[in-house]
C-alpha cells in the first residue's frame, strides 16, 4: 500500500521524542520509585467553577454543531480581553477558535507555508514545531537560541538564515523549553526583518500568564508597525489549568482569519459549544490559579538552581516564565540524552534536551510542576547522581 508523503515527513517526530517519559511511566506501573519531572501539566486541578460551567452547558443542551470561527460569546470575550491587554482594538473577526494551541499552530502554518517554502524557528523549540512545519511541506530552518543570550532569538542570527524561500518566523515567548522571554527590543528587531523580507510572524503565547515576578513581558501583537503580519496562538491549557479541555484560538489580521476560515471549517468546524461556554467564562473572569502556580514554579526553579549549583558543578539556567528549568549536563561527562536515561535509573525522569532540538545537546528539561516534597526529594537525587559522576565542587572533593 502507498502512503501520502506527509507520513514520511513526520516519521520519527511523534512519540519518539518522549521515549524517556514513556519508559518512566512503564517502570512506575511496575512499581519502580521514580519521580516524574517530564511533561508540563499544571500542578492543580481544573477550577471547580469552570467544571461547573461545562456541566451546566451540557445540561443546557450546548452540544450541537458550532461553526468554523467559533461561538459568538467566546469571540466577543477574546476581543475584549486582547483589546484591554494591548494598545489596539480587536474585534471578533480577528479570531478563530480551535481545540487547543496545537491545532491552531497546525492550521496557521498550513495557511502561511507550503512545499518549497521555509519557516524559521528558534532551536531549541517545542517538540511538535518541527512536525507542524513539515506537515505543511515546508522546511524547518533552525535559528540558534544561545545560552549566552539568555536563549532569546537574536536578529543577527535570524537575518543570516533568511532566504528567498522564507515565509514565516515561528516565535515562542514565553519560551518552552527555556523559559526565556523576548524583550520589546528583540521583537522590534525581528519585526523589522519580517517587514523587509515580507514574512509572517507566528507567536505561540500559551505561557503568557505564567511570567515570573520582576520580568517584563510584551507580545508582537503590541507593535502597530507589524500588526498586519502577526498571528498569535494561545489557549486555556496552562493559564487555567485546563489542558484536557483542548480549548485554544488564534488572533491575527482580519484578512488572515478570513483566509484561514475555510481550512478551519474543513478540519473541525470550531470547538464544542459547551467547551466554548466554559472558555468564555474563563476569559471574562480571568484565571483563579495562574498567579499562585507561577509563584510556585518560580520558587521551585530558584530552589533547584540554588541547591544544585551550591552542591555540584552542574549549570542551571534560571527561567523567566513557564513550567520548566534547564540543567546543563556537561560536568557529568554525559550529553543530555545519556544523562536523562542514566538519571532515570537513579529515580528521576527528565526530558533530554535533544527532544527540543540540537541546540540543547548537553541539556535536560526539568518540569517544575510536581508538589514541593516530591520536588525537593528529586533535587536531592539529582545532586547525588551528579556527585556520583564527578560533578563535584573542588572544595567538596578535598
Amino acid at each position: 500500500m502507498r502512503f501520502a508523503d506527509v507520513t514520511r515527513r513526520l516519521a520519527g517526530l511523534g512519540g519518539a521524542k518522549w521515549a524517556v517519559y514513556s519508559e518512566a511511566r512503564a517502570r512506575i506501573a511496575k512499581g519502580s520509585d521514580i519521580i516524574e519531572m517530564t511533561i508540563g501539566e499544571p500542578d492543580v486541578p481544573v477550577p471547580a467553577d469552570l467544571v461547573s460551567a461545562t456541566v451546566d452547558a451540557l445540561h443546557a443542551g450546548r452540544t450541537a454543531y458550532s461553526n468554523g470561527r467559533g461561538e459568538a460569546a467566546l469571540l466577543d470575550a477574546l476581543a475584549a480581553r486582547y483589546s484591554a491587554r494591548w494598545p489596539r482594538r480587536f474585534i471578533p473577526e480577528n479570531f478563530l477558535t480551535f481545540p487547543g494551541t496545537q491545532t491552531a499552530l497546525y492550521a496557521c502554518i498550513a495557511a502561511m507555508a507550503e512545499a518549497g517554502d521555509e519557516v524559521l524557528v528558534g532551536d531549541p523549540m517545542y517538540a511538535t514545531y518541527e512536525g507542524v512545519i513539515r506537515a505543511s511541506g515546508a522546511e524547518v530552518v533552525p535559528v540558534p537560541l544561545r545560552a549566552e543570550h539568555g536563549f532569546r532569538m537574536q536578529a543577527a542570527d535570524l537575518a543570516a538564515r533568511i532566504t528567498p524561500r522564507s515565509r514565516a518566523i515561528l516565535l515562542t515567548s514565553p519560551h518552552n523549553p527555556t523559559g526565556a522571554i523576548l524583550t520589546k527590543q528583540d521583537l522590534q528587531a525581528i519585526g523589522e526583518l519580517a517587514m523587509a523580507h515580507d514574512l509572517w510572524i507566528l507567536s505561540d503565547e500559551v505561557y503568557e500568564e505564567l511570567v515570573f515576578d520582576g520580568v517584563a513581558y510584551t507580545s508582537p501583537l503590541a507593535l502597530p508597525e507589524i500588526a498586519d503580519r502577526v498571528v498569535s496562538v494561545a489557549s486555556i491549557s496552562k493559564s487555567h489549568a485546563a489542558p484536557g479541555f483542548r480549548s485554544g484560538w488564534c488572533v491575527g489580521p482580519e484578512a488572515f482569519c478570513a483566509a484561514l476560515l475555510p481550512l478551519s471549517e474543513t478540519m473541525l468546524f470550531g470547538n464544542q459549544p459547551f467547551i466554548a461556554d466554559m472558555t468564555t467564562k474563563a476569559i471574562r473572569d480571568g484565571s483563579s490559579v495562574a498567579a499562585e502556580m507561577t509563584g510556585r514554579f518560580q520558587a521551585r526553579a530558584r530552589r533547584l538552581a540554588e541547591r544544585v549549583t551550591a552542591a555540584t558543578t552542574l549549570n542551571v539556567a534560571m527561567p523567566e516564565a513557564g513550567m520548566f528549568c534547564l540543567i546543563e549536563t556537561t560536568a557529568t561527562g554525559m550529553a543530555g540524552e545519556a544523562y536523562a536515561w542514566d538519571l532515570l535509573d537513579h529515580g528521576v525522569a527528565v526530558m533530554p534536551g535533544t527532544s527540543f532540538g540540537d541546540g540543547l545537546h548537553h541539556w535536560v528539561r526539568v518540569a517544575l510542576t510536581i508538589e514541593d516534597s516530591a520536588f525537593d526529594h528529586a533535587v536531592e537525587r539529582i545532586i547525588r547522581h551528579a556527585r556520583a559522576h564527578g560533578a563535584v565542587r573542588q572544595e567538596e572533593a578535598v
Side-chain angles (χ1 to χ4, degrees), residues 84-357:
R85 184 79 167 97
W86 304 119
R88 289 172 52 192
R89 179 175 176 264
F90 293 85
I91 59 176
E93 288 74 19
N94 291 125
F95 298 87
L96 275 75
T97 60
F98 291 92
T101 307
Q102 183 65 33
T103 314
L105 280 169
Y106 186 98
C108 290
I109 288 290
M112 294 176 176
E114 58 191 350
D117 294 338
E118 296 174 343
V119 176
L120 301 119
V121 58
D123 179 7
M125 67 191 77
Y126 180 59
T128 68
Y129 285 178
E130 188 175 0
V132 296
I133 294 170
R134 285 193 180 182
S136 73
E139 295 296 322
V140 179
V141 178
V143 179
L145 306 181
R146 308 176 195 276
E148 58 267 32
H149 296 301
F151 295 107
R152 301 187 340 266
M153 184 178 287
Q154 301 297 294
D157 291 329
L158 179 62
R161 288 157 179 82
I162 294 174
T163 76
R165 297 170 56 199
S166 301
R167 293 294 176 268
I169 305 164
L170 175 52
L171 302 177
T172 320
S173 182
H175 191 262
N176 178 8
T178 70
I181 290 178
L182 292 168
T183 67
K184 184 178 181 180
Q185 291 72 29
D186 293 332
L187 293 172
Q188 288 171 329
I190 292 168
E192 289 174 3
L193 288 171
M195 289 187 289
H197 297 276
D198 192 21
L199 305 178
W200 288 104
I201 294 176
L202 179 56
S203 181
D204 182 347
E205 300 177 354
V206 72
Y207 289 99
E208 177 192 349
E209 294 194 44
L210 302 183
V211 175
F212 293 170
D213 286 344
V215 180
Y217 172 76
T218 193
S219 163
L221 292 169
L223 304 180
E225 63 271 24
I226 55 173
D228 62 343
R229 64 182 65 251
V230 173
V231 178
S232 172
V233 295
S235 75
I236 61 169
S237 294
K238 310 299 185 183
S239 59
H240 291 75
F245 280 83
R246 312 311 303 138
S247 186
W249 56 87
C250 79
V251 50
E254 290 180 61
F256 177 85
C257 291
L260 184 59
L261 182 56
L263 176 60
S264 174
E265 291 170 333
T266 301
M267 289 174 61
L268 41 87
F269 258 82
N271 57 357
Q272 302 92 323
F274 62 93
I275 291 180
D277 290 353
M278 179 272 284
T279 307
T280 300
K281 177 177 174 58
I283 297 301
R284 285 179 174 166
D285 293 353
S287 176
S288 62
V289 296
E292 291 186 358
M293 276 198 301
T294 304
R296 289 192 297 274
F297 299 155
Q298 183 172 15
R300 289 170 190 157
R302 190 174 291 128
R303 290 207 306 278
L304 174 68
E306 290 173 351
R307 294 180 186 180
V308 168
T309 55
T312 77
T313 53
L314 295 176
N315 177 35
V316 178
M318 186 68 184
E320 295 179 301
M323 299 179 165
F324 308 104
C325 204
L326 296 180
I327 299 178
E328 187 180 14
T329 64
T330 307
T332 65
M334 291 181 282
E337 179 87 16
Y339 174 94
W341 285 106
D342 198 66
L343 184 62
L344 181 62
D345 291 335
H346 290 77
V348 180
V350 298
M351 289 293 291
T354 48
S355 292
F356 309 98

